[in-house]
Amino acid sequence: QQPVQSPQAVILREGEDAVINCSSSKALYSVHWYRQKHGEAPVFLMILLKGGEQKGHEKISASFNEKKQQSSLYLTASQLSYSGTYFCGTVSNDYKLSFGAGTTVTVRA
Amino acid sequence: NAGVTQTPKFRVLKTGQSMTLLCAQDMNHEYMYWYRQDPGMGLRLIHYSVGEGTTAKGEVPDGYNVSRLKKQNFLLGLESAAPSQTSVYFCASSSTRTGYEQYFGPGTRLTVT
């Protein structure tokens, strides 16, 4: 079953912050975050493992609440290059990566 | 080091025709995957392979077959294409199943008329 992402879309001005949420109905082993620019392949941002620490990538960080089966991606001081569609992927006990429908982020100057 | 490559990049098929998509990786990864991406649906797993000679069904396997005869190649076949299979297809590979990133190929845009 696909995880649920929110919001579906967000528009930011350069320098603003945003949070993207990902939740699952299943107990999770790990959460992956990817970013996809228009017409390109998804690119890995980070992975959060059960029992692991919060991860970071440039000014993009994420957290994983195992008890609530939720993860959040934090875009801090957004840059134009942050525009794209962000996907969370969740792995539960079937060891398959299921992706959410994506959150489209548009950063404007 | 090319990473993950896919052939072809674009293809138009008529309903009922067959075709094979080729995925190749040069990272010596054990695991390979085929996804389809449709607007508003994210990426959905079609089939995957945990090693040479092994394949398994993913979330949406109907209408597709796969083969992994060589470790570096993963083929996706459509025996009788249908308009519902119009999509962008991505291949990916990873060194382990859950704990490491998946590397994606550039995608194949398939249109079935």
Side-chain angles (χ1 to χ4, degrees):
Chain A
Q1 189 172 1
Q2 283 185 298
V4 176
Q5 283 185 240
S6 63
Q8 286 185 313
V10 60
I11 299 174
L12 301 167
R13 292 206 177 273
E14 266 189 303
E16 291 182 339
D17 301 339
V19 180
I20 300 170
N21 298 304
C22 175
S23 64
S24 173
S25 59
K26 296 182 176 182
L28 299 178
Y29 175 82
S30 64
V31 178
H32 298 219
W33 286 97
Y34 288 77
R35 178 172 63 202
Q36 184 178 31
K37 302 226 179 231
H38 184 69
E40 299 180 6
V43 173
F44 175 81
L45 291 176
M46 66 190 76
I47 182 172
L48 299 103
L49 301 175
K50 185 176 178 180
E53 298 176 356
Q54 181 170 331
K55 298 280 189 176
H57 169 83
E58 298 174 344
K59 290 183 181 177
I60 300 173
S61 61
S63 62
F64 178 22
N65 186 325
E66 299 162 26
K67 290 184 179 178
K68 292 187 177 180
Q69 294 137 215
Q70 293 175 345
S71 178
S72 294
L73 186 74
Y74 306 95
L75 307 181
T76 304
S78 58
Q79 306 168 14
L80 294 175
S81 62
Y82 286 4
S83 292
T85 300
Y86 290 76
F87 294 98
C88 74
T90 57
V91 178
S92 56
N93 58 6
D94 60 0
Y95 300 107
K96 294 176 189 172
L97 186 60
S98 294
F99 285 94
T103 297
T104 301
V105 173
T106 304
V107 182
R108 294 179 174 164
Chain B
N1 190 342
V4 180
T5 58
Q6 292 182 231
T7 310
K9 287 186 167 50
F10 302 94
R11 186 70 186 269
V12 178
L13 287 179
K14 293 185 187 297
T15 297
Q17 288 184 319
S18 63
M19 77 163 295
T20 300
L21 307 182
L22 171 63
C23 175
Q25 54 94 4
D26 61 2
M27 296 173 283
N28 202 34
H29 283 168
E30 290 293 333
Y31 298 87
M32 296 187 74
Y33 316 84
W34 276 108
Y35 294 93
R36 60 176 289 172
Q37 184 173 36
D38 303 294
M41 299 290 291
L43 293 144
R44 292 182 293 168
L45 182 65
I46 304 171
H47 285 281
Y48 64 99
S49 169
V50 301
E52 183 178 321
T54 69
T55 63
K57 294 180 180 179
E59 189 183 344
V60 288
D62 293 343
Y64 305 96
N65 56 74
V66 289
S67 64
R68 183 108 179 259
L69 299 179
K70 292 183 179 181
K71 186 177 182 178
Q72 63 268 35
N73 296 336
F74 195 27
L75 278 63
L76 178 71
L78 286 74
E79 290 187 348
S80 179
S84 61
Q85 294 178 304
T86 293
S87 187
V88 180
Y89 292 85
F90 286 101
C91 175
S93 70
S94 67
S95 57
T96 67
R97 196 166 188 180
T98 59
Y100 290 89
E101 65 182 283
Q102 291 190 11
Y103 293 82
F104 283 81
T108 295
R109 185 172 293 275
L110 174 66
T111 302
V112 183
T113 61

